[in-house]
Amino acid sequence: MGGGRDGIGMPLGNLTSQFFANVYLNELDYFVKHKLKAKYYIRYVDDFVILDENFENLEKYEELIYTFLIENLKIELHPSKSKIVKLGRILNLLGFRVFYYHKLLRKANKRKFYRKFKEKLELYRNRQISHQDFAQSLQGWNGYAMWANTFKLRKKLVKQISNQ
């Protein structure tokens, strides 16, 4: 169960929007943790997941959260991005495909990264950006990608860069 990208209906993009989403949705956090007493609840900006072994509990949570958001925060769950899935199925969350025992980057995220990587590499080769700028962009992506099973991918990139 979750909000999905912009799933609760807030325009996100810059850090200020993300900050205000976290402040605004703090009431949702309190409600889910302390009123519903959901044991496994994760929220990142406007994406959230509740894990429970009991399907009926999840259906009840969804109904109560939907009502809470409308009555208290004047926002709604995105109908096509909010769903209840059986634990063990693939869960798309924050650009990852989350499996029971591991996480992979979504293919679209990898394609986008490779496109940007090639652009940055070309700028670096042509001395249009500094080594520091090139390294910083890679470091940011590495910080994100390291949360998935990407060791071989990151090793391949290091090798590719060192061959320059």
Side-chain angles (χ1 to χ4, degrees):
M1 186 166 142
R5 184 172 176 272
D6 298 331
I8 295 180
M10 289 186 192
L12 297 179
N14 65 41
L15 292 175
T16 307
S17 297
Q18 294 174 21
F19 171 77
F20 285 120
N22 283 330
V23 170
Y24 195 71
L25 294 175
N26 186 56
E27 289 184 50
L28 172 64
D29 298 340
Y30 184 86
F31 177 74
V32 172
K33 291 182 206 175
H34 300 284
K35 301 292 183 189
L36 298 181
K37 299 195 185 303
K39 190 172 181 181
Y40 301 105
Y41 168 71
I42 303 163
R43 183 178 64 78
Y44 179 79
V45 189
D46 72 334
D47 287 326
F48 67 92
V49 175
I50 300 172
L51 303 172
D52 197 296
E53 293 175 349
N54 186 316
F55 190 81
E56 288 77 27
N57 284 349
L58 293 172
E59 289 179 318
K60 181 176 73 172
Y61 291 159
E62 184 179 38
E63 185 179 316
L64 293 169
I65 289 169
Y66 185 84
T67 302
F68 173 83
L69 289 173
I70 289 174
E71 291 178 359
N72 296 282
L73 300 181
K74 311 299 184 228
I75 55 178
E76 295 182 13
L77 292 172
H78 194 291
S80 67
K81 295 180 181 177
S82 301
K83 55 189 158 220
I84 297 173
V85 295
K86 183 176 177 146
L87 202 55
R89 305 259 324 236
I90 300 171
L91 175 66
N92 286 308
L93 180 69
L94 303 173
F96 297 103
R97 291 181 300 148
V98 182
F99 298 85
Y100 194 72
Y101 289 108
H102 65 285
K103 286 182 283 195
L104 299 174
L105 292 174
R106 289 182 58 211
K107 290 178 183 171
N109 287 18
K110 282 200 295 192
R111 281 192 301 269
K112 183 178 176 181
F113 165 75
Y114 276 122
R115 184 176 33 79
K116 288 185 174 189
F117 172 73
K118 287 177 184 177
E119 290 170 7
K120 292 273 186 180
L121 185 59
E122 192 63 30
L123 291 172
Y124 176 63
R125 284 179 180 155
N126 294 329
R127 301 182 192 273
Q128 293 175 293
I129 62 171
S130 69
H131 176 75
Q132 182 178 357
D133 290 339
F134 181 65
Q136 275 184 328
S137 66
L138 288 176
Q139 189 175 17
W141 184 81
N142 188 56
Y144 162 74
M146 67 182 262
W147 295 103
N149 298 77
T150 57
F151 178 77
K152 288 180 183 178
L153 171 65
R154 291 180 290 126
K155 188 175 176 181
K156 179 181 161 185
L157 288 172
V158 168
K159 188 176 181 180
Q160 190 174 348
I161 292 166
S162 63
N163 289 337
Q164 297 305 313

